[in-house]
Amino acid sequence: MSSDTGAEILTLPAPSPDQIYVSISALEGGHLTLPEYLFVTDADPNKRSTVPSLCFLIQHPSTNGSKPTNLVFDLGLKRDFSGYREAQQHHIDQRQPTVVSPDVTESLKNGGLDAESVDVVVVSHLHWDHCGTSSDFKNAEFVVGSGTMHLLRHGGGPLYPAELFNADELPPDRTKELPPVRSEEKKKAYERQTEHRWKELSAFPAVVDFFGDGSVYIVDAPGHLFGHVNILARIAPQKWIYLGGDCCHDPRILYGLKGIALYDDGHGGKRSVHADTGEAEKTIERIKGLLKKGGVREEGGGEVEVEVVVAHDAEWREKNGTKFWPGHL
């Protein structure tokens, strides 16, 4: 995606002399069907589109000649819907038809990699179409955004009751939650127990340099759901990828062609598909800055290209079949 709007220049970190670059491959994560009127403004009230739940394999090369670190971002839909709770089942009934094969595990295997070879799983957020079959990833450390574990146990208010989430969705002994972002006291207490640190990066107030070498940044992307995170990664000199998860469900919102739809919340007010529409709009505006033609540079260097991919972009999937594992972006 690209955009010509605006003139502000965003600056990304310059590469180090021995800069590490990662490879990124798209993975099939199943499909679901979305009614357009719930997601974008000026929608056809009768239009429904079956879209992918895109997931990604990020391979971080070893510096000592051993195997790369295999990181998977998002797990898509479960193979077996009986694993969802009753409230989730009711929601899924409204997202039919769905497709669950190939799922992430099959997609990895079709490219020659077993789920048990995955070292890290980063889950963008806990919605049913992103958690997948986590039990397949028996050796992986799971990483989630701040607030995710509280949401899993207690829900997130009347619009996000605990019944919409499986309490056993993540392996408790292998899941690490990133530190709080906005409470300095809690943030400092948590950071004494973890190697991860939030810092500002260009227009993004909070990112974690996950490998500590400027190759992969986990981005706090508030608005859609508590704990929602994205990924920004270097794949080559002057080439970055931004994986936007559910920052928006239709790329036309990033182009500025559509806005976020509002609809009846059932309690006398209006809501969107985002937990906090205002915060979601701020996140989208930051991401839009990456799409401005000539609008992103590296520190002390020239212009760079940033490709942005959101989870439910059907057009991207149709046009980029060669970028699915074992191919790469």
Side-chain angles (χ1 to χ4, degrees):
M1 301 176 191
S2 63
S3 171
D4 295 332
T5 59
E8 182 182 354
I9 303 295
L10 299 184
T11 303
L12 295 178
S16 65
D18 54 352
Q19 181 62 54
I20 295 291
Y21 298 95
V22 297
S23 66
I24 302 181
S25 304
L27 299 170
E28 299 284 8
H31 291 70
L32 67 160
T33 301
L34 304 180
E36 186 175 272
Y37 76 93
L38 292 179
F39 296 91
V40 298
T41 53
D42 302 317
D44 179 343
N46 300 311
K47 184 176 180 181
R48 294 168 57 83
S49 299
T50 299
V51 300
S53 187
L54 294 170
C55 306
F56 298 88
L57 170 66
I58 301 175
Q59 294 192 296
H60 182 276
S62 167
T63 56
N64 60 12
S66 62
K67 74 177 186 68
T69 298
N70 295 315
L71 183 156
V72 168
F73 180 61
D74 270 351
L75 296 178
L77 283 67
K78 294 186 190 301
R79 291 188 300 275
D80 181 3
F81 282 0
S82 66
Y84 294 117
R85 300 171 73 177
E86 183 178 351
Q88 294 169 311
Q89 296 278 7
H90 176 71
H91 178 78
I92 293 169
D93 287 344
Q94 301 170 58
R95 298 292 181 261
Q96 298 296 336
T98 56
V99 178
V100 298
S101 181
D103 67 353
V104 169
T105 297
E106 292 175 89
S107 189
L108 286 168
K109 189 174 183 180
N110 291 340
L113 189 67
D114 291 330
E116 293 185 7
S117 297
V118 172
D119 303 291
V120 181
V121 173
V122 177
V123 180
S124 68
H125 65 294
L126 287 181
H127 278 151
W128 68 280
D129 54 319
H130 294 264
C131 294
T133 309
S134 59
S135 59
D136 289 349
F137 300 85
K138 302 182 185 304
N139 298 315
E141 172 186 279
F142 282 69
V143 178
V144 295
S146 179
T148 297
M149 303 311 290
H150 184 274
L151 178 68
L152 199 60
R153 291 189 294 266
H154 306 290
L159 297 179
Y160 298 93
E163 291 75 18
L164 287 177
F165 308 97
N166 290 344
D168 61 352
E169 196 70 77
L170 304 169
D173 58 328
R174 290 185 284 118
T175 298
K176 291 187 177 180
E177 182 177 80
L178 295 173
V181 177
R182 295 165 185 81
S183 168
E184 281 303 315
E185 183 177 343
K186 289 182 179 179
K187 179 178 174 182
K188 289 177 181 178
Y190 192 104
E191 286 181 346
R192 287 195 289 268
Q193 307 171 41
T194 178
E195 70 274 23
H196 298 307
R197 300 288 188 273
W198 293 110
K199 64 178 182 180
E200 186 176 351
L201 180 71
S202 191
F204 299 96
V207 307
V208 165
D209 184 352
F210 188 71
F211 291 105
D213 57 14
S215 63
V216 174
Y217 296 92
I218 297 179
V219 182
D220 180 53
H224 179 57
L225 188 66
F226 312 99
H228 185 242
V229 294
N230 294 169
I231 283 184
L232 175 66
R234 299 178 194 259
I235 62 169
Q238 286 77 55
K239 181 65 188 289
W240 297 67
I241 300 292
Y242 189 94
L243 304 177
D246 275 2
C247 66
C248 63
H249 293 70
D250 190 312
R252 290 176 295 178
I253 294 175
L254 289 177
Y255 291 135
L257 301 174
K258 295 284 186 178
I260 298 171
L262 297 176
Y263 55 92
D264 188 351
D265 67 359
H267 300 278
K270 292 288 187 180
R271 63 163 297 184
S272 74
V273 295
H274 303 289
D276 187 324
T277 305
E279 283 296 320
E281 289 173 336
K282 292 177 185 177
T283 293
I284 289 168
E285 287 303 311
R286 294 181 188 115
I287 298 169
K288 281 182 178 180
L290 300 174
L291 298 173
K292 296 172 183 175
K293 187 174 181 180
V296 186
R297 294 182 177 273
E298 286 181 338
E299 295 169 352
E303 182 181 332
V304 298
E305 178 186 355
V306 183
E307 182 175 7
V308 177
V309 188
V310 294
H312 301 303
D313 190 342
E315 184 177 352
W316 188 93
R317 180 185 178 276
E318 290 302 315
K319 290 182 176 180
N320 291 281
T322 61
K323 296 181 180 180
F324 282 75
W325 172 251
H328 53 83
L329 280 71

